[in-house]
Structures are given as C-alpha cells and as structure tokens.
Amino acid sequence: MAAARSRLIAFALSLPEAFEDQPWEDDTVAKVRKKIFVFFGGPGSRHLTVKLAESHAHALSIEGARPSAYGLGKSGWVTVPLRGEGVDSALLREWIEESYRIVAPKKLVADLDGRK
C-alpha cells in the first residue's frame, strides 16, 4: 500500500507547479499555487480525497467511497479507497489529474495539455 501511495504522490507532484505540503501533522497534500488538489492523508492512509466533476458519480459508486467530510463533499470532493473492486492506480491517476484540472489556473492546465 505504501509503494502505491508513494507512486500516486509522485504522479501528483509531476503536474505543472505542483508541490507537497503537510499542513496538518503527518497529513500529506498536493497543492498547486497554494490550493490543495489532492489529500493523501497520513502515512498509513488507505484513502485519498480529490475534487471531481465529470467523474464524481463514478467515484461515489466505488465501494468505500464517500463525499468528503467538513462540508467539502458539497463542493465535489470525494474520498476514495486506494484499493477495492474497480479501483486501480490508472484510475486514481485520472482522478488526481481531473482534480488538478479543476483547481489549477487555466494557464497551468494548458501547459499540462501541451505536454501530451
């Protein structure tokens, strides 16, 4: 689980101007221009939290997924398991990128599109 989590963090940090932060104790987040686009939780976390629009309903259909706490669920944030039926690293990377695209400035999203 730790290796998969590390690879997902590395993917998130590969996006334009993304950086890692730990605003609460051991909780790791990925940010772009001071805005969080994925919550990874602490070292033993079995979930991650992303902001989704297009994939929101799909994410919530995964067993163990739920709208995020603290009112974030109302804004499209979903907490999803790292493992489970229908969940793999490719899908989680897609959701991390979707969250980045929602949160990042348009210029950075255009930079990302230019990479592909």
Side-chain angles (χ1 to χ4, degrees), residues 19-98:
F19 65 97
E20 183 176 333
D21 195 10
Q22 291 184 324
W24 308 282
E25 306 246 343
D26 288 336
D27 286 353
T28 298
V29 302
K31 292 182 174 181
V32 58
R33 299 234 178 128
K34 299 183 184 179
K35 291 184 174 184
I36 297 171
F37 66 95
V38 59
F39 295 84
F40 289 101
S45 177
R46 296 176 179 265
H47 295 83
L48 62 77
T49 300
V50 286
K51 186 170 188 173
L52 301 173
E54 195 173 302
S55 303
H56 191 263
H58 178 214
L60 286 176
S61 74
I62 301 293
E63 185 176 339
R66 62 190 183 280
S68 301
Y70 307 108
L72 292 173
K74 295 176 186 175
S75 298
W77 289 90
V78 181
T79 300
V80 296
L82 296 177
R83 297 256 193 255
E85 191 172 326
V87 177
D88 61 20
S89 60
L91 180 62
L92 294 171
R93 285 191 308 269
E94 286 177 24
W95 288 345
I96 289 169
E97 184 174 326
E98 181 177 341

